[in-house]
C-alpha cells in the first residue's frame, strides 16, 4: 500500500521547501492565507498566485499527483462564483460605487464590469492558497509537523494525534480494501457485474468490520504508546524537531514582508479594496 | 548468578470483571535478576494475563479483581502504575505492526525518550547507538511497513531497550516470524540478555523454538495455575508438556517412541547435549521398521497457472510463473516472508489481477470471473480472521455466505449446524464472536468457508495463533475432507511440522520463483532450498543425524507420519 503514489501526504525529497522547518511552513501558510483572504488588492493577489505557483514548481510536486483534486477544486470554485453572481449580481457595483454594464441593460441580472472584477478577485483568493497547501502537505513530514504545531503552542497530545491520524490513513485504506475483498469472496458481488445500487448498499457491510478493526487498532496503539510512557509528562521532545536554519529566517522574512506589504496596501487603497473604477 | 529477586508473586489471583471464574489462581513464583525465563501454557491458560499484570495493563486497562502480593524490583505492585512500571518492564507486543507508533524506524526507536522529554541531541545519540546495536542502522529512515518481519522485531526491541528498563517482557515473539527469522530472534535475545544484563521473560507456546538457545527456567501455566516451575531440563524429562496439550520438542517425542527412557537421560534441553544409549541403535531400529508410505497419485490437474506475470508498482513478483495443482492434493506453499506466497493466493482468488498469463480451474479460465464468482469454487481463509468477520454472532457469520446465495433458511440452519459440529464450534453457536480468542475466530472463518462446499481451499497460515491441540483438530478435519471428498487444499505456512504432517506436496518459493516442488521431506533435505526459503531443519532431522542415520529427513517424515497414525487410533 505504501506503493500508492496518489496519496496526499509527505513525499520525501530535498528541495528548498523540504529543508524548511515545519514551523516556518505552517506560519507562512497561515499568515499568507489570512492576508490573502482579507485583501482585495488585485495586484497583490496576483503576486501571491505567482509566488505560490513558483513554490509549487520548486517543490518538485508532480502535476499528475494533484491533477484530479485541482480540477475538482477549480470546478467547485467556478460553480461557487456562478452562485455568488446568481444571488447578488449587483454586489460588485455596490462595492466599487460605479456601474459599467457589459450586457443585460437595466435588468437585475445585468453583468457589470464591477461584478466581473469582484468575481475575478474572489477566484484569485480561492485559488492562490491551493498550491501552498500542496507544498505544505507534500514537503512536510507529519512527525515534524507535529513537532512544529507543538512549538507554536498547541498541546503535544493534540499535535501527536494529528500526526498519527495522517500516518494511519493509508493503513485504513488498505484495511478497507482487504475487508471488501474478503466479503466478495464470501459471495457478496461488488464488481461491475452487480447493479450500482446493490454495490452501494453492499459496501455498507464493510464498514462494520472496518470500524471494529479500527477501534481495536486504536486501543492497541494507545496501549503501546502508554507502555512507552506517552502522555505522562507536561512536555515532550521531538526526534524530528528541526532547528531553524538561515533559510528559515530568510523565508520568514519574505513571509512577514509580504504580509506587511498586504497591510500597507490597505492604507494605499484606503480600505481592503483596490478600485480601478474610480 | 547473584540471588536477588526482581519479580515476586505471592498467592496472586486475578479474575476479569466480565468473567465468572478466576483466570489466575494462587500463583507463586520468584524471578531472580538476570534470569531468562519462559512462561508457557496452552491457549487460554492465563499466560498472557500474567504478562498483562507484569506491565500494569492489568488492572489499569483490563478491570478485574487482583489479589495477593506482587513485588517488582523492590517495589510493591500497589505503589506502581503503568507509567512507573514502564521504567521497570519494557514490553514487546505480539504484533509489531500495532506496536509501531513512529513514522520511521528512527522515530519509533526514539518514542520513549521523546516522552521522557530528553534533549534532542541525547535522543539522536542514543537512537543511532541502539540502531547499530540491533543492526537496523541502515533502515533507520525507512517506514516500518517497508521492512521485514525480523527487522520489525529488532526495531521494537530497540524501542524498548533504549529506555534502559531492567526487565524485558516479550509476548509471543515468534508468532509473526518465518522459521529462520525466529531462530535469529531467539539468538538475539540470548545475546542481549548476556550483554545488557537484562532479566528476560518470554511468553510463548512454541517451546522447542525458544529452547534453540538455553533458558534458565520454565514456568508452565495450565488452567490458571502454575503447574511447573523448574529448569527446562527437568520439565522436559517429566513429560508434563504433552499432558497439558503443548508440543514438547519433537526429538523427545521421537526418543520416547523409539523406546528410549527420556527421564533417564542426563540432559535433554538441547539436542546436541543428548547422549544416545548404544550409539542410537534404538533410533536406527525404529527407522528401519517405519519406512514412509509413497503417495499414490492419479494426477488430474485442477488448478493450472501458466506464464503468470505480476508486479507491484515498483517491485516485480512473478515472472513467467507456472504451477499445476492436481485434484485432491494437499499442497504446502513455503518460503520467506514477502516472497510472494500471499500474492499468489490473491491472484488465484481474484483479489489481484495478473499483468499477464492465465489461471484455470478445471479447464475454465478464471480471468473474466469476479471474486464472487471464483468464490463459488475457491474458498480462501485469510491470515487475519478480523478481516473476514462481519457479523456479531457465530451462527450468522457462518450462515452469511449461504444467505447471500439466497438459500432456504431451513437448509441454511441444517448446513450451518453440521459445519459448526465438525469444526468444534457447536457449543459456542450462540456466542458473540467478540468473546472468542484469535484461534477460535480463525475456526469460525474456516467454518464460514467450509459451509460453502468449495472445490479448493486456500489457507493462509492456518496454524498461526493456534496451540497444538486446536490446530491438529482443524488440520485433521481438513485432511479427512481431503480424503473423503477429494477437497483440494493449499496451505501457506512457516511451520515445518505442519508441512511434513499434512502436505503430500511442498512448493518452496523464493523471490517469486519455485525453487522446489516435491515431497515435503525433499524440501528439508536440500540445504540450498532450506536456506533460500528461510526454513529451518527440524530437530527430528538433527536427531536422525545424531543417530548416524543414512537419511535423517526420511526419519523425520516417517516419525511425523507415525505420530499422526497414533493420534488417529486414539
Amino acid at each position: 500500500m505504501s506503493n500508492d503514489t496518489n496519496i496526499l501526504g509527505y513525499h520525501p525529497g530535498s528541495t528548498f521547501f523540504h529543508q524548511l522547518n515545519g514551523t516556518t511552513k505552517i506560519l507562512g501558510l497561515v499568515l499568507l492565507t489570512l492576508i490573502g483572504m482579507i485583501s482585495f488588492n488585485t495586484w497583490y493577489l496576483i503576486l501571491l498566485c505567482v509566488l505560490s505557483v513558483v513554490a509549487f514548481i520548486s517543490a518538485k510536486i508532480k502535476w499528475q499527483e494533484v491533477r484530479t483534486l485541482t480540477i475538482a477544486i477549480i470546478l467547485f470554485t467556478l460553480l461557487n462564483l456562478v452562485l455568488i453572481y446568481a444571488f447578488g449580481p449587483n454586489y460588485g457595483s455596490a462595492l466599487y460605487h460605479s456601474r459599467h454594464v457589459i450586457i443585460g441593460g437595466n435588468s437585475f441580472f445585468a453583468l457589470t464590469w464591477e461584478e466581473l472584477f469582484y468575481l475575478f478577485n474572489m477566484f484569485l483568493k480561492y485559488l492562490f492558497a491551493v498550491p501552498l497547501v500542496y507544498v505544505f502537505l507534500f514537503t512536510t513530514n507529519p512527525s515534524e509537523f507535529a513537532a512544529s504545531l507543538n512549538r507554536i503552542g498547541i498541546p503535544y497530545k493534540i499535535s501527536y494525534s494529528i500526526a498519527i491520524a495522517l500516518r494511519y490513513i493509508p493503513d485504513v485504506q488498505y484495511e478497507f480494501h482487504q475487508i471488501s475483498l474478503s466479503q466478495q469472496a464470501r459471495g457478496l458481488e461488488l464488481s461491475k457485474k452487480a447493479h450500482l445500487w446493490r454495490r452501494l448498499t453492499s459496501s455498507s457491510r464493510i464498514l462494520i468490520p472496518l470500524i471494529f478493526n479500527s477501534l481495536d487498532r486504536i486501543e492497541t496503539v494507545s496501549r503501546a504508546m502508554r507502555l512507552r510512557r506517552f502522555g505522562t509528562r507536561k512536555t515532550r521532545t521531538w526526534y524530528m524537531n528541526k532547528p531553524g536554519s538561515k533559510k528559515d529566517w530568510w523565508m520568514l522574512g519574505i513571509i512577514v514582508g509580504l504580509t506587511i506589504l498586504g497591510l500597507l496596501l490597505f492604507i494605499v487603497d484606503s480600505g481592503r479594496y483596490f478600485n480601478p473604477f474610480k | 548468578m547473584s540471588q536477588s529477586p526482581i519479580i515476586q508473586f505471592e498467592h496472586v489471583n486475578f479474575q476479569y470483571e466480565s468473567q465468572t471464574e478466576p483466570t489466575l489462581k494462587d500463583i507463586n513464583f520468584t524471578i531472580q535478576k538476570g534470569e531468562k525465563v519462559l512462561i508457557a501454557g496452552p491457549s487460554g491458560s492465563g499466560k498472557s494475563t500474567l504478562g498483562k499484570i507484569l506491565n500494569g495493563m492489568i488492572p489499569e486497562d483490563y478491570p478485574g479483581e487482583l489479589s495477593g502480593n506482587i513485588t517488582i524490583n523492590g517495589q510493591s505492585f500497589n505503589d506502581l502504575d503503568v507509567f512507573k512500571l514502564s521504567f521497570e518492564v519494557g514490553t514487546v507486543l505480539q504484533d509489531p505492526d500495532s506496536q509501531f507508533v513512529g513514522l520511521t524506524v528512527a522515530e519509533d526507536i526514539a518514542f520513549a525518550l521523546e516522552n521522557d522529554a530528553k534533549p534532542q541531541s541525547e535522543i539522536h545519540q542514543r537512537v543511532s547507538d541502539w540502531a547499530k546495536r540491533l543492526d537496523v542502522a541502515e533502515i533507520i529512515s525507512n517506514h516500518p511497513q517497508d521492512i521485514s518481519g525480523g527487522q520489525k522485531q529488532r526495531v521494537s526491541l530497540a524501542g524498548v531497550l533504549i529506555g534502559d528498563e531492567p526487565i524485558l517482557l516479550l509476548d509471543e515473539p515468534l508468532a509473526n516470524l518465518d522459521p529462520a527469522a525466529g531462530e535469529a530472534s531467539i539468538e538475539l535475545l540470548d545475546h542481549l540478555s548476556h550483554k545488557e544484563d537484562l532479566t528476560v521473560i518470554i511468553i510463548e507456546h512454541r517451546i522447542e523454538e525458544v529452547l534453540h538457545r538455553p533458558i534458565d527456567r520454565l514456568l508452565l501455566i495450565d488452567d490458571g495455575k502454575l503447574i511447573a516451575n523448574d529448569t527446562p531440563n527437568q520439565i522436559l524429562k517429566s513429560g508434563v508438556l504433552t499432558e497439558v496439550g503443548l508440543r514438547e520438542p519433537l526429538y523427545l517425542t521421537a526418543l520416547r517412541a523409539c523406546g528410549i527412557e527420556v527421564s533417564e537421560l542426563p540432559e535433554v534441553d538441547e539436542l546436541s547435549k543428548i547422549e544416545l544409549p548404544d550409539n542410537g541403535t534404538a533410533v536406527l531400529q525404529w527407522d528401519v521398521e517405519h519406512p514412509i508410505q509413497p503417495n499414490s497419485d492419479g494426477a488430474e490437474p485442477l488448478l493450472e497457472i501458466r506464464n503468470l506475470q505480476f508486479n507491484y508498482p515498483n517491485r516485480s513478483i512473478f515472472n513467467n510463473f507456472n504451477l499445476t495443482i492436481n485434484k485432491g492434493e494437499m499442497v504446502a506453499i513455503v518460503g520467506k516472508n514477502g516472497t510472494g506466497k500471499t500474492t499468489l493466493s490473491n491472484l488465484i482468488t481474484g483479489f489481484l489481477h495478473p499483468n499477464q498469463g492465465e489461471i484455470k480451474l478445471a479447464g475454465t479460465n478464471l480471468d473474466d470471473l469476479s471474486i464472487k464468482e471464483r468464490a463459488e469454487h475457491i474458498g480462501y481463509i485469510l491470515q487475519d480472521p478480523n478481516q473476514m468477520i462481519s457479523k456479531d454472532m457465530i451462527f450468522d457469520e457462518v450462515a452469511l455466505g449461504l444467505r447471500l446465495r439466497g438459500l432456504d433458511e431451513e437448509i441454511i440452519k441444517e448446513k450451518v449446524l453440521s459445519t459448526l459440529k465438525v469444526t468444534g464450534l457447536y457449543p459456542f453457536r450462540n456466542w458473540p464472536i467478540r468473546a472468542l480468542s484469535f484461534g477460535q475466530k480463525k475456526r469460525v472463518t474456516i467454518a464460514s468457508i467450509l459451509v460453502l462446499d468449495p472445490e479448493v481451499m486456500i489457507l493462509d497460515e492456518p496454524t498461526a495463533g493456534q496451540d497444538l491441540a486446536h490446530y491438529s483438530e482443524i488440520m485433521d478435519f481438513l485432511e479427512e475432507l481431503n480424503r473423503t471428498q477429494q477437497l483440494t487444499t493449499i496451505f501457506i505456512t512457516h511451520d515445518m511440522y505442519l508441512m511434513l504432517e499434512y502436505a503430500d506436496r511442498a512448493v518452496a518459493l523464493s523471490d517469486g520463483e519455485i525453487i522446489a516442488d516435491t515431497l515435503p521431506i525433499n524440501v528439508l533435505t536440500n540445504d540450498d532450498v532450506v536456506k533460500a526459503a528461510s526454513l529451518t531443519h527440524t530437530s527430528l532431522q538433527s536427531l536422525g543425524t545424531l543417530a548416524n542415520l543414512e537419511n535423517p529427513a526420511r526419519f523425520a517424515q516417517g516419525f511425523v507420519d507415525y505420530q499422526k497414525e497414533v493420534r488417529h487410533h486414539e
Side-chain angles (χ1 to χ4, degrees):
Chain A
M1 204 57 200
S2 55
N3 298 326
D4 205 334
T5 46
N6 287 326
I7 282 178
L8 284 178
Y10 176 56
H11 290 54
S14 56
T15 69
F16 176 75
F17 286 95
H18 282 90
Q19 291 167 32
L20 279 182
N21 195 296
T23 319
T24 314
K25 281 182 273 188
I26 189 79
L27 278 175
L29 186 65
V30 169
L31 280 178
L32 293 181
T33 312
L34 275 177
I35 189 75
M37 283 294 143
I38 300 169
S39 175
F40 269 86
N41 185 303
T42 319
W43 299 114
Y44 183 66
L45 291 175
I46 291 175
L47 174 70
L48 287 184
C49 277
V50 170
L51 288 178
S52 91
V53 169
V54 169
F56 178 82
I57 293 168
S58 63
K60 294 198 175 140
I61 300 170
K62 291 200 189 83
W63 168 239
Q64 247 113 15
E65 292 172 332
V66 295
R67 195 183 59 185
T68 324
L69 184 63
T70 314
I71 291 173
I73 292 175
I74 291 177
L75 287 177
F76 199 75
T77 307
L78 289 176
L79 177 72
N80 200 350
L81 294 181
V82 170
L83 289 175
I84 291 178
Y85 169 71
F87 283 107
N90 298 310
Y91 188 66
S93 299
L95 209 55
Y96 297 110
H97 312 293
S98 66
R99 187 174 168 88
H100 299 81
V101 177
I102 307 168
I103 195 167
N106 282 326
S107 78
F108 179 71
F109 283 105
L111 183 64
T112 60
W113 281 111
E114 285 80 2
E115 181 67 16
L116 207 57
F117 184 69
Y118 168 70
L119 292 178
F120 175 64
N121 279 304
M122 289 304 286
F123 184 71
L124 292 178
K125 281 155 136 356
Y126 279 129
L127 289 189
F128 88 91
V130 173
L132 290 183
V133 172
Y134 289 152
V135 170
F136 180 76
L137 284 177
F138 279 70
T139 67
T140 311
N141 182 318
S143 317
E144 206 217 308
F145 176 49
S148 312
L149 286 179
N150 187 210
R151 199 138 57 132
I152 59 173
I154 294 170
Y156 80 83
K157 284 188 192 172
I158 295 175
S159 319
Y160 206 88
S161 318
I162 295 171
I164 213 159
L166 289 173
R167 157 156 166 26
Y168 278 112
I169 288 171
D171 286 15
V172 174
Q173 278 177 334
Y174 174 76
E175 186 104 359
F176 179 84
H177 187 64
Q178 277 297 313
I179 295 171
S180 148
L181 290 172
S182 84
Q183 288 293 307
Q184 292 177 60
R186 293 281 287 286
L188 194 65
E189 186 63 275
L190 292 176
S191 75
K192 293 192 177 96
K193 293 183 181 180
H195 293 297
L196 182 65
W197 176 245
R198 181 91 200 261
R199 270 155 71 193
L200 282 175
T201 49
S202 304
S203 298
S204 65
R205 278 175 197 277
I206 300 163
L207 286 176
I208 295 159
L210 183 71
I211 290 167
F212 275 125
N213 283 0
S214 304
L215 288 177
D216 277 350
R217 188 189 286 266
I218 291 169
E219 212 176 0
T220 326
V221 169
S222 74
R223 221 168 264 154
M225 288 170 71
R226 282 196 296 137
L227 283 173
R228 290 199 276 162
R229 302 192 280 278
F230 182 83
T232 41
R233 283 170 180 268
K234 284 216 175 73
T235 57
R236 173 180 206 279
T237 49
W238 305 80
Y239 181 89
M240 288 306 273
N241 201 358
K242 266 199 240 174
S245 67
K246 260 192 188 150
K247 284 182 186 131
D248 290 299
W249 290 113
W250 274 108
M251 196 65 209
L252 274 178
I254 295 172
I255 291 161
V256 171
L258 275 171
T259 316
I260 292 174
L261 177 66
L263 292 172
L264 286 177
L265 286 171
F266 293 169
I267 301 173
V268 176
D269 298 335
S270 25
R272 286 159 60 203
Y273 299 93
F274 163 69
N275 189 348
F277 301 101
K278 246 192 312 208
Chain B
M1 194 177 301
S2 63
Q3 290 287 304
S4 59
I6 193 162
I7 297 173
Q8 259 181 312
F9 272 55
E10 287 169 333
H11 305 292
V12 174
N13 294 281
F14 179 73
Q15 182 171 341
Y16 287 101
E17 208 172 62
S18 55
Q19 285 179 4
T20 49
E21 286 272 307
T23 301
L24 292 178
K25 301 163 197 161
D26 196 30
I27 303 282
N28 294 284
F29 66 86
T30 305
I31 292 175
Q32 306 295 335
K33 199 166 182 306
E35 265 192 310
K36 196 168 143 209
V37 179
L38 167 62
I39 300 180
S43 309
S45 60
K47 62 180 191 303
S48 309
T49 304
L50 194 55
K52 286 180 193 131
I53 293 178
L54 284 173
N55 61 30
M57 282 295 149
I58 287 176
E60 214 166 293
D61 247 38
Y62 299 90
E65 204 179 310
L66 182 66
S67 66
N69 288 322
I70 304 171
T71 317
I72 289 176
N73 209 7
Q75 301 161 75
S76 163
F77 196 73
N78 299 330
D79 304 332
L80 296 165
D81 53 19
V82 172
F83 172 63
K84 286 181 186 151
L85 264 171
S86 72
F87 290 102
E88 309 300 337
V89 183
T91 313
V92 176
L93 297 174
Q94 186 178 346
D95 176 10
D97 287 321
S98 59
Q99 169 145 11
F100 279 121
V101 222
L103 193 71
T104 59
V105 166
E107 285 168 73
D108 198 73
I109 299 177
F111 191 71
L113 297 185
E114 292 178 323
N115 295 331
D116 293 343
K118 298 275 187 233
Q120 201 190 17
S121 56
E122 183 191 333
I123 299 181
H124 279 256
Q125 175 64 42
R126 280 166 73 177
V127 166
S128 89
D129 179 38
W130 274 103
K132 269 188 218 126
R133 285 206 235 178
L134 288 178
D135 197 22
V136 289
E138 275 173 22
I139 50 162
I140 198 153
S141 41
N142 285 32
H143 292 262
Q145 63 264 39
D146 296 337
I147 61 179
S148 78
Q151 287 171 331
K152 279 180 190 169
Q153 193 169 65
R154 291 208 296 275
V155 173
S156 315
L157 272 169
V160 166
L161 292 173
I162 200 167
D164 284 333
E165 293 92 11
I167 303 166
L168 178 62
L169 173 70
L170 298 110
D171 189 9
E172 305 217 15
L174 298 173
N176 294 296
L177 299 179
D178 57 42
E183 268 194 2
S185 155
I186 293 296
E187 286 163 20
L188 174 70
L189 284 176
D190 190 49
H191 171 77
L192 288 171
S193 74
H194 295 307
K195 209 170 153 212
E196 309 295 341
D197 193 26
L198 289 169
T199 305
V200 179
I201 299 170
I202 303 170
I203 299 174
E204 230 339 314
H205 61 94
R206 303 189 195 191
I207 293 161
E208 178 167 352
E209 284 88 339
V210 176
L211 288 178
H212 173 62
R213 283 289 179 270
I215 59 160
D216 299 311
R217 212 135 48 88
L218 202 164
L219 302 186
L220 189 60
I221 313 265
D222 185 38
D223 195 20
K225 291 192 216 83
L226 182 64
I227 57 163
N229 174 5
D230 209 331
T231 59
N233 194 30
Q234 291 303 329
I235 293 182
L236 293 181
K237 280 188 195 176
S238 72
V240 66
L241 294 179
T242 335
E243 284 165 28
V244 299
L246 286 171
R247 178 164 251 171
E248 68 177 353
L250 270 183
Y251 61 88
L252 292 178
T253 321
L255 287 175
R256 290 185 216 276
C258 297
I260 295 170
E261 201 54 61
V262 170
S263 57
E264 282 169 15
L265 296 171
E267 288 191 77
V268 299
D269 56 340
E270 262 177 77
L271 181 58
S272 56
K273 287 197 221 153
I274 292 179
E275 289 161 28
L276 291 175
D278 314 320
N279 286 323
T281 336
V283 180
L284 188 64
Q285 182 78 23
W286 192 94
D287 190 39
V288 174
E289 286 166 9
H290 296 82
I292 59 170
Q293 303 294 324
N295 288 304
S296 57
D297 51 346
E300 180 192 329
L302 180 65
L303 188 68
E304 293 167 89
I305 300 171
R306 292 281 161 267
N307 307 319
L308 187 73
Q309 196 188 324
F310 178 78
N311 48 278
Y312 288 112
N314 46 20
R315 201 157 60 101
S316 163
I317 303 287
F318 295 115
N319 210 349
N320 197 15
F321 181 90
N322 294 286
L323 179 67
T324 303
I325 307 279
N326 298 314
K327 191 164 163 50
E329 276 185 322
M330 271 193 116
V331 184
I333 297 185
V334 297
K336 214 195 305 211
N337 272 340
T339 201
K341 302 186 303 276
T342 300
T343 306
L344 180 64
S345 34
N346 284 343
L347 286 164
I348 297 172
T349 49
F351 286 18
L352 292 171
H353 291 282
N355 302 79
Q356 252 175 51
E358 58 175 18
I359 303 175
K360 286 202 231 170
L361 184 78
T364 319
N365 196 332
L366 295 179
D367 206 30
D368 299 328
L369 300 185
S370 68
I371 298 176
K372 181 217 164 197
E373 287 162 332
R374 294 185 197 204
E376 310 275 330
H377 313 280
I378 305 170
Y380 183 27
I381 317 278
L382 277 75
Q383 194 172 346
D384 179 3
N386 293 325
Q387 289 177 345
M388 297 181 67
I389 291 169
S390 64
K391 293 281 171 196
D392 299 329
M393 307 304 285
I394 294 177
F395 184 94
D396 294 332
E397 180 64 28
V398 178
L400 176 67
L402 296 172
R403 287 187 177 141
L404 284 168
R405 283 163 177 74
L407 263 69
D408 194 60
E409 199 62 27
E410 273 303 301
I411 301 172
I412 291 178
K413 194 171 174 191
E414 190 183 313
K415 283 192 167 204
V416 170
L417 290 182
S418 79
T419 310
L420 287 176
K421 271 179 201 152
V422 286
T423 44
L425 291 164
Y426 189 76
F428 308 114
R429 63 193 177 282
N430 296 321
W431 279 36
I433 293 180
R434 301 197 69 72
L436 301 182
S437 72
F438 184 87
Q440 288 169 324
K441 281 186 190 166
K442 189 114 184 171
R443 270 194 283 165
V444 170
T445 62
I446 292 177
S448 66
I449 295 297
L450 271 178
V451 77
L452 304 174
D453 286 329
E455 289 153 52
V456 186
M457 282 273 270
I458 304 176
L459 300 105
D460 198 348
E461 295 286 355
T463 57
Q466 311 263 12
D467 62 20
L468 178 66
H470 287 120
Y471 109 46
S472 314
E473 206 175 299
I474 290 174
M475 291 308 297
D476 285 348
F477 170 66
L478 286 174
E479 194 179 40
E480 195 185 314
L481 285 179
N482 173 265
R483 250 201 330 262
T484 55
Q485 296 171 27
Q486 289 251 296
L487 174 70
T488 310
T489 311
I490 302 171
F491 50 91
I492 295 170
T493 188
H494 285 142
D495 186 333
M496 295 302 94
Y497 294 115
L498 181 75
M499 172 182 88
L500 284 176
E501 208 167 336
Y502 294 98
D504 37 44
R505 178 178 164 199
V507 176
L509 297 185
S510 174
D511 297 327
E513 278 181 43
I514 295 178
I515 50 169
D517 179 357
T518 174
L519 290 176
I521 51 160
N522 296 339
V523 168
L524 291 182
T525 44
N526 186 331
D527 286 343
D528 294 336
V529 172
V530 168
K531 194 152 182 278
S534 195
L535 309 174
T536 48
H537 287 293
T538 68
S539 68
L540 291 172
Q541 263 173 291
S542 314
L543 176 63
T545 314
L546 195 71
N548 290 315
L549 299 185
E550 197 181 312
N551 187 344
R554 194 192 59 196
F555 169 74
Q557 178 75 68
F559 181 73
V560 168
D561 290 349
Y562 159 81
Q563 251 203 321
K564 198 158 68 179
E565 196 69 19
V566 171
R567 214 175 42 234
H568 285 178
H569 286 296
E570 269 167 11

